[in-house]
Amino acid sequence: MKLPHKGFLLQQLSQVPSYWDYQLILLALAEYQVQGLYWINHFSIALDELAAAGLINRISERIDDGTAIASGRLLFEYSLSRFGRQRMHDTGLLPEGVE
């Protein structure tokens, strides 16, 4: 059984200092074997919701030059917040002893 989408995104962010949204979206598209604009937007919204909840931080932004998702699209770089890491521990998404 696969993780819920937001749980997957959090786990990916817990393994690296940061990811750009398009990198996370590509990982999610491959993991869940979906494609298309609907799913790109779906995962973008999930990242927005995680950021709004304080679980992840936007640490940088740039305009897509057409090499990531779509020319002119605003891209964000995310990192897992301290609060997000704690919530992952609390919910079992991140095993104890893993930082």
Side-chain angles (χ1 to χ4, degrees), residues 6-81:
K6 290 178 187 175
F8 173 80
L9 295 168
L10 288 170
Q11 278 198 335
Q12 296 305 302
L13 279 168
S14 73
Q15 298 171 23
V16 296
S18 68
Y19 263 130
W20 283 93
D21 55 359
Y22 71 90
Q23 294 171 310
L24 286 163
I25 290 167
L26 289 175
L27 290 170
L29 292 174
E31 175 70 15
Y32 294 97
Q33 300 175 354
V34 294
Q35 60 184 346
L37 188 57
Y38 170 85
W39 289 104
I40 291 170
N41 290 333
H42 168 80
F43 288 111
S44 292
I45 291 167
L47 289 166
D48 286 342
E49 290 172 348
L50 291 169
L55 298 172
I56 62 176
N57 297 316
R58 286 185 181 136
I59 57 174
S60 184
E61 65 275 329
R62 67 180 172 94
I63 302 294
D64 188 349
D65 61 5
T67 59
I69 295 177
S71 185
R73 184 180 174 121
L74 186 58
L75 303 173
F76 294 102
E77 184 179 15
Y78 291 102
S79 66
L80 185 63
S81 70

Side-chain angles (χ1 to χ4, degrees), residues 11 14-15 85 88-99:
Q11 278 198 335
S14 73
Q15 298 171 23
R85 189 169 299 281
M88 288 181 73
H89 280 295
D90 294 346
T91 60
L93 279 173
L94 197 61
E96 289 300 319
V98 175
E99 290 301 320

